[in-house]
Amino acid sequence: MLYRFSLLKLAFMQICCLALTVVVLLSATTLQAKLNDDPQIKASIGKALDYLAREQRRQGYWEANGGQYRVAMTALSGMALAAEGSTPSRGRFAPQIKLLLNISSIPPVLMD
């Protein structure tokens, strides 16, 4: 029963993250138009996205603080890569987004 609750909770969190991603992407288009003119901002954003791409785990998720906050970090990182304009089939970060979408479940954090 506890396992089923955990899966339902994870599924609910993933749906919420997906909905939040859609909202952020829709609101980011106006901001993106303003930022496209400044080369220093573009370079900084590019470096940040490259960092996120390097930090993605082999299984497709991101984590923070020694393996914690996997769902939150994965949602935020995925939104950032998608806001850049990449999709699973095209764009600079297509491999990372494709790997993210193939996650069947984010492994739990094991506590000592």
Side-chain angles (χ1 to χ4, degrees):
M1 182 69 177
L2 182 61
Y3 180 71
R4 180 183 294 160
F5 176 74
S6 296
L7 288 178
L8 290 173
K9 186 176 177 182
L10 178 63
F12 176 74
M13 290 172 55
Q14 288 174 335
I15 290 169
C16 289
C17 290
L18 179 62
L20 182 60
T21 300
V22 171
V23 170
V24 169
L25 290 177
L26 291 175
S27 63
T29 55
T30 305
L31 181 59
Q32 186 176 9
K34 294 178 183 177
L35 297 178
N36 280 339
D37 297 335
D38 191 343
Q40 287 182 330
I41 292 176
K42 286 173 109 174
S44 295
I45 291 172
K47 287 178 185 178
L49 293 173
D50 289 337
Y51 170 79
L52 288 176
R54 283 192 313 271
E55 290 299 311
Q56 186 178 26
R57 298 296 181 251
R58 181 173 32 114
Q59 297 87 352
Y61 62 87
W62 284 264
E63 60 187 13
N65 287 348
Q68 296 182 351
Y69 313 113
R70 291 178 177 169
V71 173
M73 294 298 104
T74 300
L76 293 170
S77 299
M79 285 190 298
L81 296 177
E84 180 268 341
S86 293
T87 67
S89 59
R90 60 189 160 97
R92 184 171 156 200
F93 299 103
Q96 287 80 15
I97 293 176
K98 185 178 279 188
L99 186 60
L100 166 66
L101 293 175
N102 287 329
I103 295 176
S104 58
S105 66
I106 295 177
V109 176
L110 300 176
M111 305 301 258
D112 292 332

